[in-house]
Amino acid sequence: MDNILQNAQRQGRISFYMTCRGEESTHIGSASALQSQDTIFAQYREQGTLMWRGFSLDQFTDQCFSNDADLGKGRQMPVHYGCRALNFHTISSPLGTQLPQAVGAAYKLKMDNDTLPCEDKKSIAIAYFGDGCGSTTDFHSAMNFAATLSVPIIFFCRNNGYAISTPVQDQYAGDGIVSRGPAYGMASIRVDGNDIFAVHAAVREARAYALHHSAPVLIEAMTYRQGHHSTSDDSSRYRDTKELQSISDTADPLKRLSAFLEEHGWMDDASAAAI
């Protein structure tokens, strides 16, 4: 899907697109650990979470082309997906605005959860964001509100190495994003974002914790953005192609999952080609 829609932009058929190559495990690993009633607030590089919930390729394409079948009726830029039926709030362009909004939703879910006797009916909110978003005031406001209000929410940071063209070493001097959680009195975990099973386990346990304690959890998933930031970006101007190749060779999430499946005899070259 990413290749087709990025090529469509290059051909002038759509105005804009953002790929998620290299970050697939953060999407599927996290989405598969959630329940359908959990509310998702995404940033703009979480196509896989919406795809996991059943958003079709036609629906993705309709949104990017802003045609009459688009659920948003062409009122949004491409990749600004949203689907009420799938509990996926519409993406907005300003960086970080989804974080305090997610806290507000989690506060409502907290009140609803108190009236539900059955645990499997209770729900949380999850807010996705990138490492660059950790430099916004909305990030800090949301973290503080979530902790002081004790709401069931997961803050899921995709630390992919770059905030557009700014590498992480120029963004912060501390130990990444996860180290900020304890300062807010928040349970926090760092996970290998290129390991789909590790991401799934982290989100599964974070969800259980958030519900049991009615408290927020911060997850920092360490991954790498293999594509350009967007179709308006040329990442070769600020990062060495050798860096990208090294990550692709050693930490690519799709290659790692494929190797795991092949090792256990669950996939071979023929079945992979068929997919």
Side-chain angles (χ1 to χ4, degrees):
M1 183 182 82
D2 270 356
N3 288 338
I4 291 172
L5 291 175
Q6 179 171 259
N7 288 338
Q9 190 279 333
R10 297 306 193 201
Q11 295 165 3
R13 298 173 186 271
I14 61 177
S15 61
F16 181 77
Y17 193 71
M18 304 181 80
T19 66
C20 59
R21 185 69 185 93
E23 302 177 45
E24 296 89 347
S25 286
T26 64
H27 299 184
I28 305 304
S30 61
S32 60
L34 301 171
Q35 297 298 316
S36 60
Q37 68 266 25
D38 295 331
T39 301
I40 294 177
F41 288 80
Q43 188 163 306
Y44 42 58
R45 210 184 298 279
E46 284 84 26
Q47 295 96 308
T49 60
L50 187 54
M51 186 178 291
W52 175 268
R53 289 204 165 181
F55 207 68
S56 70
L57 295 178
D58 282 345
Q59 287 176 302
F60 280 109
T61 305
D62 290 337
Q63 196 284 324
C64 288
F65 277 84
S66 298
N67 61 30
D68 61 354
D70 170 26
L71 296 179
K73 302 303 179 186
R75 298 185 182 95
Q76 285 277 22
M77 286 177 60
V79 307
H80 288 51
Y81 311 111
C83 184
R84 178 180 296 180
L86 299 177
N87 285 326
F88 190 99
H89 282 250
T90 302
I91 295 166
S92 57
S93 292
L95 192 65
T97 55
Q98 76 277 14
L99 301 182
Q101 293 166 4
V103 175
Y107 188 72
K108 175 60 166 63
L109 295 176
K110 173 183 178 178
M111 295 187 290
D112 291 345
N113 288 343
D114 289 341
T115 67
L116 297 173
C118 187
E119 286 292 324
D120 62 1
K121 297 296 183 182
K122 297 182 178 182
S123 55
I124 68 162
I126 182 168
Y128 291 88
F129 62 101
D131 47 278
C133 187
S135 298
T136 65
T137 54
D138 278 330
F139 167 80
H140 295 284
S141 298
M143 294 280 282
N144 194 50
F145 270 117
T148 56
L149 294 174
S150 299
V151 297
I153 184 173
I154 296 174
F155 292 103
F156 190 99
C157 175
R158 297 174 292 94
N159 191 332
N160 62 19
Y162 289 88
I164 308 183
S165 60
T166 305
V168 289
Q169 59 265 28
D170 292 337
Q171 294 180 50
Y172 48 73
D175 184 17
I177 304 299
V178 72
S179 61
R180 304 175 191 182
Y184 288 102
M186 189 180 301
S188 307
I189 184 173
R190 175 177 284 155
V191 65
D192 181 353
N194 295 324
D195 183 337
I196 189 172
F197 303 114
V199 173
H200 176 91
V203 174
R204 181 192 64 211
E205 296 304 312
R207 183 182 187 276
Y209 181 97
L211 280 176
H212 181 73
H213 297 280
S214 187
V217 180
L218 171 63
I219 296 176
E220 182 180 25
M222 308 304 291
T223 182
Y224 189 84
R225 192 194 79 214
Q226 293 190 31
H228 305 299
H229 172 74
S230 72
T231 50
S232 302
D233 176 50
D234 178 6
S235 62
S236 66
R237 294 177 64 88
Y238 54 82
R239 65 178 179 184
D240 196 320
T241 55
K242 293 180 180 179
E243 174 186 310
L244 174 59
Q245 189 61 52
S246 175
I247 294 293
S248 176
D249 291 342
T250 61
D252 184 279
L254 299 185
K255 294 177 181 177
R256 288 176 63 176
L257 179 59
S258 177
F260 176 85
L261 296 175
E262 290 174 3
E263 181 180 349
H264 288 78
W266 297 329
M267 179 178 284
D268 54 25
D269 291 342
S271 57
I275 294 174

